[in-house]
């Protein structure tokens, strides 16, 4: 973080020193879902980075394009209309404020609860047109399927049985899973920034859930921290055709730390094009117990559990009391 005088609208948003240009992550692991040994590739990417892209995913381009167009339309609507669906607590329309504990970013967003395979009825959201709601519902069905496929591959690649052991926590038939959907809009920062500085769009954090699936309009800004290189930040080259998958904290715990949740953030700059992203967060039911899977402890991936058991509800509650950048797993680590 840089301590320099900032224009008033940026006052509470941290600035990042920009090593020009940000180093780009060469070789984001790209998993071809229809290719041989996809499960092995998924597991290796989750172990190394906690992050990978998915190609040949079979999600129709129209489903993504429709949602992107509706999201752009929503964010372009009058501020007073958007504000009528806010402030986000945690759901609804939010601008600059993230969570409840003072985190700020240069973005606006819509955060929504998903019931099974559609927007929750509890999401009043007057500013969301019926076209936007329909586009979200159609998109979420595709994301549930993709999350299921990825989690089945994780189980297969790790030798966990049944194959649906992890997937059922998020997409099982009876599971009242805790799915969240987020549309983010990062406008270019129009204010003068100090030299070599970018503004924080969404501050660094890990996602608390099992998996998150991210898609963007192809604008730059996403960065990930490399586990195997002291947490060095690298930019992720945008790819309009791929989905990006993040390992979340809960999957790290279930796999006893073998798969790593990835720290990531979004930076915004004055020159960057406006970024729109759509993110599906796959969480389990609130009562779901999260603890290292016995099968993995027995399989010699470290015989001692690194984390104590908690329920997703407990973890979520703790997450909402934390700051974005906190290490939320630390209090659950076994001594
Ligand atoms: C990070 C992942 C998801 O975007 C999110 C975020 C949530 C929010 O924006 O309300 C949190 C953040 C996220 C983790 C810590 C708490 C809660 C903001 C925040 C400071 C929707 C989620 O589930 O956790």
């Amino acid at each position: 973080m840089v301590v320099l005088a900032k224009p008033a609208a940026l006052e509470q948003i941290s600035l990042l020193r920009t090593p020009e240009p940000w180093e780009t992550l060469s070789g984001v692991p790209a998993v071809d879902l229809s290719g041989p040994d996809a499960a092995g590739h998924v597991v290796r990417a989750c172990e190394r980075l906690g992050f990978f892209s998915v190609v040949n995913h079979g999600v129709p381009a129209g489903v993504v394009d429709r949602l992107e167009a509706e999201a752009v339309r929503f964010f372009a609507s009058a501020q007073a209309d958007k504000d009528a669906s806010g402030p986000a607590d945690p759901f609804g329309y939010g601008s600059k404020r993230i969570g409840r504990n003072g985190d700020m970013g240069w973005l606006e967003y819509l955060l929504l609860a998903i019931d099974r395979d559609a927007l929750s009825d509890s999401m009043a959201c007057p500013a969301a047109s019926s076209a936007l709601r329909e586009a979200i519902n159609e998109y979420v069905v595709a994301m549930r399927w993709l999350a299921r496929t990825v989690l089945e591959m994780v189980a297969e690649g790790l030798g966990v049985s049944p194959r649906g052991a992890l997937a059922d926590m998020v997409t099982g038939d009876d599971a009242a899973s805790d799915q969240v959907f987020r549309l983010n809009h990062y406008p270019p920062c129009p204010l003068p920034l100090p030299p070599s500085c970018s503004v924080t769009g969404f501050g660094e954090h890990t996602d608390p859930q099992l998996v998150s699936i991210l898609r963007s309009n192809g604008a730059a800004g996403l960065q990930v921290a490399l586990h195997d290189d002291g947490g060095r930040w690298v930019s992720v080259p945008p790819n309009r055709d791929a989905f990006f998958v993040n390992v979340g904290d809960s999957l790290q715990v279930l796999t006893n730390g073998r798969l790593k949740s990835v720290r990531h953030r979004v930076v915004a700059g004055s020159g960057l094009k406006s970024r729109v992203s759509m993110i599906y967060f796959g969480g389990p039911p609130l009562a779901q117990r999260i603890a290292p899977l016995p099968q993995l402890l027995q399989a010699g991936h470290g015989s001692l559990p690194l984390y104590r058991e908690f329920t997703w509800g407990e973890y979520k509650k703790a997450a909402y009391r934390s700051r974005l950048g906190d290490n939320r797993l630390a209090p659950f680590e076994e001594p």
Side-chain angles (χ1 to χ4, degrees):
M1 208 202 305
V2 179
V3 183
L4 285 171
K6 290 193 226 168
L10 292 177
E11 213 47 12
Q12 289 156 293
I13 303 181
S14 59
L15 297 179
L16 303 159
R17 199 183 289 280
T18 317
E20 280 290 355
W22 289 102
E23 197 184 326
T24 298
L25 174 60
S26 51
V28 177
V31 177
D32 177 347
L33 276 198
S34 58
D37 192 27
H41 288 300
V42 165
V43 166
R44 284 190 289 280
C46 293
E47 285 174 331
R48 190 164 68 83
L49 271 177
F51 178 77
F52 59 94
S53 69
V54 175
V55 294
N56 286 334
H57 39 70
V59 177
V63 172
V64 182
D65 294 345
R66 266 192 290 283
L67 177 58
E68 191 183 309
E70 289 305 327
V72 168
R73 192 164 304 146
F74 170 80
F75 288 120
S77 58
Q79 189 62 46
D81 291 344
K82 293 185 282 187
D83 287 340
S85 299
D89 185 30
F91 300 116
Y93 171 77
S95 176
K96 300 193 186 72
R97 287 177 198 288
I98 300 168
R100 296 169 176 157
N101 303 309
D103 289 292
M104 304 283 283
W106 190 258
L107 87 161
E108 56 177 343
Y109 61 88
L110 200 51
L111 189 58
L112 301 163
I114 303 296
D115 280 347
R116 228 190 116 67
D117 50 11
L119 252 182
S120 164
D121 289 340
S122 63
M123 295 287 94
C125 227
S129 65
S130 53
L132 174 58
R133 286 170 167 272
E134 276 163 32
I136 292 173
N137 289 346
E138 183 182 45
Y139 187 85
V140 162
V141 170
M143 291 308 99
R144 260 176 82 85
W145 170 82
L146 193 51
R148 176 154 198 99
T149 306
V150 165
L151 288 171
E152 282 178 350
M153 286 183 175
V154 168
E156 182 186 327
L158 290 173
V160 168
S161 62
R163 198 169 185 257
L166 296 165
D168 284 347
M169 291 183 192
V170 179
T171 62
D173 280 344
D174 327 310
S177 58
D178 190 23
Q179 306 165 93
V180 174
F181 185 67
R182 168 163 224 142
L183 290 173
N184 288 331
H185 174 220
Y186 301 91
C189 182
L191 301 162
L193 291 171
S196 309
C197 275
S198 297
V199 65
T200 299
F202 206 112
E204 65 174 274
H205 66 287
T206 57
D207 294 342
Q209 293 83 357
L210 268 75
V211 277
S212 319
I213 305 179
L214 176 140
R215 179 83 182 211
S216 77
N217 64 341
L222 177 65
Q223 303 189 335
V224 295
L226 302 178
H227 295 298
D228 51 5
D229 196 358
R232 188 162 56 92
W233 287 101
V234 287
S235 293
V236 176
N239 182 345
R240 257 196 125 273
D241 303 316
F243 289 95
F244 290 101
V245 178
N246 289 343
V247 171
D249 297 339
S250 300
L251 190 54
Q252 175 167 327
V253 172
L254 286 160
T255 60
N256 204 30
R258 182 161 162 195
L259 307 193
K260 305 273 190 321
S261 64
V262 62
R263 272 187 109 65
H264 56 288
R265 67 185 182 189
V266 176
V267 297
S270 25
L272 295 178
K273 112 176 192 204
S274 183
R275 174 178 165 92
V276 173
S277 59
M278 324 161 199
I279 314 156
Y280 164 91
F281 300 95
L286 293 179
Q288 175 69 51
R289 291 172 168 187
I290 310 284
L293 293 171
Q295 288 181 62
L296 291 181
L297 295 177
Q298 287 153 16
H301 302 306
S303 48
L304 292 173
L306 298 177
Y307 306 93
R308 67 173 172 82
E309 181 180 296
F310 51 84
T311 65
W312 167 243
E314 276 175 80
Y315 193 61
K316 189 177 167 179
K317 210 165 170 189
Y320 270 94
R321 280 197 230 106
S322 69
R323 293 293 299 259
L324 200 52
D326 287 350
N327 176 357
R328 279 175 281 281
L329 280 181
F332 298 92
E333 281 166 11
E334 288 286 10

